[in-house]
Amino acid sequence: MKYLSLGLLLTGVIVLGNQSQGQAANLFRNSSFEVGSIDPGNGYVSLDAGSTAIEGWEVTRGGIDYMGSIWNAANGNRSLDLNASPSAPPDNIGGIKQTVTTIPGALYSLTLSLATNPGITGLTTIRASIGDKWADFDSDPTQTSGNHLNWDSSPFWQFFASSNQTTVEFFTLQSSSPYGGPALDAVSLTQANTLSSGNQGIPESTPVIGVLVFGALALSLSREKNP
């Protein structure tokens, strides 16, 4: 067996898991990407970096594909492929971001639905980032059949806000070839009351960051992992 041990001096910790939170107001506007100045119809539209065609969001890095009913969405009729199609020049490794109002020191829970473009055979990864804090989420393409995506809505991340404005970005870690990558939909950011009781899904490459120090409080977390 292999063990991951984390020694932390903190009052705030990034936590990954699959634990659902209570119903609270979603801080994201247009959280399922249903509203946009461009209609992808029953296909898709490629959007370049800087595009604000999806209401509330800005496309970052390279291009993305704004997906219509060409495949099923996790919620509603639209979703995103964070790797743009071959027609999008030149860097198709894209992302999307939104800035929301937060309370410094308050705890927030981030959830998302992810899947994989049906044309991809390997794992794809979405990174969620908030300043220098980040968490990676993998999607298994074996869960997709044809153009029917089997969306995973379990990814879960908690963090303490450090300012009254927080910019959340989602972007692909998939290479620029082949075209197509992780799919994203139904994102949510809500204020939380308590930290998750579990620490599932923390990859060894993820930096775990303490935010505010109470003093000499040391918290040791141990996570058993399969070899």
Side-chain angles (χ1 to χ4, degrees):
M1 305 297 287
K2 184 178 180 183
Y3 294 84
L4 173 64
S5 297
L6 305 172
L8 307 172
L9 185 64
L10 48 82
T11 62
V13 58
I14 307 273
V15 178
L16 285 166
N18 296 325
Q19 179 175 328
S20 63
Q21 298 298 292
Q23 295 299 315
N26 188 352
L27 299 181
F28 286 133
R29 292 174 53 209
N30 195 20
S31 60
S32 290
F33 316 116
E34 294 298 296
V35 182
S37 60
I38 297 175
D39 183 0
N42 61 359
Y44 64 87
V45 177
S46 295
L47 302 176
D48 295 333
S51 172
T52 55
I54 302 172
E55 183 176 308
W57 298 91
E58 179 182 344
V59 177
T60 60
R61 302 172 189 266
I64 67 169
D65 283 341
Y66 189 23
M67 308 302 296
S69 57
I70 189 171
W71 65 39
N72 61 301
N75 182 62
N77 298 305
R78 300 179 182 180
S79 58
L80 306 180
D81 182 336
L82 295 182
N83 282 73
S85 64
S87 61
D91 179 6
N92 72 328
I93 303 174
I96 197 161
K97 71 178 181 180
Q98 184 173 144
T99 299
V100 299
T101 299
T102 50
I103 301 170
L107 178 67
Y108 291 88
S109 297
L110 179 72
T111 61
L112 61 149
S113 294
L114 73 159
T116 299
N117 185 303
I120 301 300
T121 57
L123 288 175
T124 60
T125 304
I126 285 177
R127 175 166 291 180
S129 71
I130 301 162
D132 60 356
K133 308 175 184 71
W134 53 265
D136 291 344
F137 302 97
D138 293 330
S139 177
D140 185 353
T142 63
Q143 300 304 308
T144 292
S145 176
N147 272 3
H148 182 81
L149 276 60
N150 186 4
W151 292 90
D152 179 4
S153 299
S154 65
F156 174 73
W157 184 30
Q158 287 186 310
F159 65 92
F160 288 94
S162 57
S163 67
N164 58 11
Q165 295 287 310
T166 299
T167 298
V168 182
E169 182 184 15
F170 302 95
F171 59 96
T172 176
L173 295 184
Q174 183 77 5
S175 68
S176 58
S177 180
Y179 292 102
L184 177 68
D185 198 12
V187 296
S188 175
L189 182 66
T190 58
Q191 191 170 347
N193 295 321
T194 58
L195 282 167
S196 168
S197 59
N199 297 290
Q200 302 176 33
I202 301 180
E204 290 176 281
S205 59
T206 300
V208 183
I209 302 168
V211 182
L212 299 173
V213 178
F214 274 168
L217 174 64
L219 174 63
S220 178
L221 300 176
S222 179
R223 162 105 170 107
E224 181 178 355
K225 297 178 65 180
N226 291 324

